[in-house]
Amino acid sequence: MKPTHIRLRRACAAVAAAGALMAPAVAGSAYGATAPEPSASSPAAPSSATGTEFVQLTPAVAARLDAAVREVMRETKVPGVTVGLWAPGKGSYVKTFGVADKATGAPMGTGLHVRIGSETKTFTVTALLQQVDRGKAGLDDPIGKYVTGVPNGDRITLRELAGMRSGLFNYSLDPDFVKKLQADPEQDFTPQQLLDYSFKHPVQFQPDEKFDYCNTNLILLGLVVEKVTGRPLHEVIAQDVLEPAGLHRTLLPTGTEFPDPHAQGYSDQTASGRTEDVTDWNPSWAWAAGAMISDLQDLRSWARTLATGTLLTPATQAERLKTTPMDLPGTGYGLGIFNVQGWIGHNGSLPGYEVLPVYLPEAQATMVLLLNTDSLTGNQEPSTLLGQAITSIVSPDHVYPTKKQLAPEPADGGR
């Protein structure tokens, strides 16, 4: 069956429990000793006195993690996975599984670039919030102050766009957009073209009425950043976010560039519905909502920077972390960021790739998952299944996304 839309999927998808742990070993780097935390200009959230939020990463725990990852890979047929876990005083676990290139059999590696999908939203919103801190924009400004022609533009605020509560139609659900992209996945899309696909549809609900994950919101916020800074978004993110954060292997591409080395990406979101190598699809259609590229160590550093707010004033970071409920129990969405069972961050998914970089303040623990496919299994994202399997072992009081069994979301749920 052909897909009905292109997924930059929901921030938190429903999950299914992992089964028995039986798959054979796959090459990768070994369990290791404690690695130093990335530097930060302000302290992380205080660690709880109980010390039970994150387990000691002993060889026995590493063996359990190996088995859990292999079993999820067996169930989901993910070609390659990189897993990174770090927590002060608890050790570290950094390991790769499977292949980065199915054609050559080249293994996954810890230094590979991947496309990071909706993790891009965390960078775009950070750039916006920096302008809020500088007095150049206000969270409660209407989007119509910056961009004309937006339905309900005099009522929808920047806060509601960043918090996924605008009511605008998600352009990546539009059938005409999907048909055009799948006909030529290497073509360029402009932000205005993306907005046009959204704005031909009526609003879905009134501003702030409910949570609804929508990529259109981030295209608009990217345009706001460009308007108030007078610079292209890729330059703003590079100069104002990546450079002060110390991220040297992360970028918002302006075309089809994809730095080497990188993993090949595989997806069934193709015109035929068959799994294909989609590595060189042009990510311009995702732009401020999902076009960025990064790697394991940069995402490790960014997860902590994002959750602790080192690039923002404390007051603005506090606004960012105010969450409203999402679709699952124990989950909330703030301003371009989520809190899922205590794990703070965002996930990312677009054709060929998924990432999950998150931070658990109670334990000052970081988890980063990188995958080179986005193909669903039973309507479940493989990164979500991996996140649940791993956190069930290392943070049983904070299982991503939930300890409860949930029904899968409809196949046309969009991200």
Side-chain angles (χ1 to χ4, degrees), residues 2-344:
K2 293 183 180 181
T4 58
H5 69 278
I6 296 296
R7 296 184 298 264
L8 268 167
R9 292 194 210 90
R10 279 204 177 96
C12 189
V15 301
L21 308 175
M22 303 173 55
V26 188
S29 59
Y31 152 88
T34 303
E37 282 295 301
S39 61
S41 58
S42 68
S47 179
S48 168
T50 65
T52 61
E53 289 81 10
F54 200 87
V55 303
Q56 194 77 30
L57 293 171
T58 63
V61 169
R64 292 176 62 199
L65 289 167
D66 289 352
V69 172
R70 291 167 185 149
E71 173 59 15
V72 174
M73 291 182 71
R74 184 191 67 80
E75 291 180 345
T76 60
K77 298 180 173 60
V78 172
V81 174
T82 298
V83 178
L85 297 165
W86 303 268
K90 303 292 186 177
S92 65
Y93 173 96
V94 179
K95 195 159 188 179
T96 61
F97 301 81
V99 298
D101 187 331
K102 294 199 293 186
T104 67
M108 283 292 280
T110 57
L112 298 178
H113 291 89
V114 296
R115 300 193 189 279
I116 65 173
S118 286
E119 182 70 15
T120 302
K121 294 175 171 68
T122 66
F123 293 93
T124 300
V125 174
T126 297
L128 172 72
L129 295 178
Q130 288 177 322
Q131 299 308 311
V132 171
D133 277 340
R134 294 166 186 167
K136 294 186 176 181
L139 281 172
D140 297 313
D141 290 347
I143 183 60
K145 178 179 177 180
Y146 304 94
V147 181
T148 61
V150 181
N152 273 349
D154 59 336
R155 299 179 55 205
I156 298 170
T157 66
L158 305 189
R159 185 190 302 274
E160 289 158 351
L161 292 168
M164 301 297 176
R165 303 180 69 85
S166 72
L168 294 172
F169 183 84
N170 189 348
Y171 71 86
S172 58
L173 297 180
D174 178 80
D176 292 335
F177 162 76
V178 175
K179 182 183 295 185
K180 183 174 175 62
L181 175 61
Q182 290 183 331
D184 181 10
E186 297 182 18
Q187 67 186 294
D188 282 312
F189 285 88
T190 67
Q192 188 58 56
Q193 285 177 305
L194 302 177
L195 294 180
D196 289 343
Y197 285 113
S198 171
F199 296 168
K200 71 181 184 180
H201 296 270
V203 297
Q204 307 300 289
F205 53 86
Q206 294 308 304
D208 204 32
E209 189 174 294
K210 62 181 180 179
F211 172 87
D212 184 59
Y213 198 91
C214 176
N215 296 306
T216 306
N217 298 343
L218 269 291
I219 303 303
L220 288 167
L221 292 182
L223 292 174
V224 172
V225 171
E226 291 193 331
K227 186 174 183 66
V228 300
T229 63
R231 293 176 284 157
L233 181 63
H234 69 276
E235 290 185 7
V236 177
I237 288 177
Q239 296 166 4
D240 297 4
V241 181
L242 301 180
E243 185 174 342
L247 307 183
H248 304 298
R249 291 170 57 84
T250 303
L251 72 152
L252 174 59
T254 58
T256 58
E257 66 267 29
F258 198 167
D260 288 323
H262 60 254
Q264 300 297 108
Y266 303 92
S267 180
D268 58 6
Q269 294 195 76
T270 57
S272 67
R274 294 187 295 270
T275 297
E276 298 175 9
D277 185 330
V278 299
T279 305
D280 295 322
W281 279 23
N282 189 332
S284 64
W285 66 271
W287 193 50
M292 288 182 69
I293 294 165
S294 191
D295 74 348
L296 176 69
Q297 289 299 333
D298 267 14
L299 290 178
R300 173 196 177 185
S301 179
W302 178 244
R304 187 172 188 263
T305 296
L306 178 67
T308 57
T310 59
L311 299 184
L312 304 174
T313 64
T316 298
Q317 178 70 0
E319 290 297 308
R320 173 170 225 168
L321 294 178
K322 291 179 180 177
T323 62
T324 56
M326 291 197 292
D327 302 331
L328 302 178
T331 68
Y333 201 87
L335 303 180
I337 198 169
F338 64 45
N339 185 321
V340 176
Q341 302 295 335
W343 289 97
I344 296 174

Side-chain angles (χ1 to χ4, degrees), residues 12-17 327-329 380 401-409:
C12 189
V15 301
D327 302 331
L328 302 178
Q380 306 295 341
T402 177
K403 292 188 286 187
K404 297 181 180 180
Q405 177 75 15
L406 297 166
E409 68 176 10

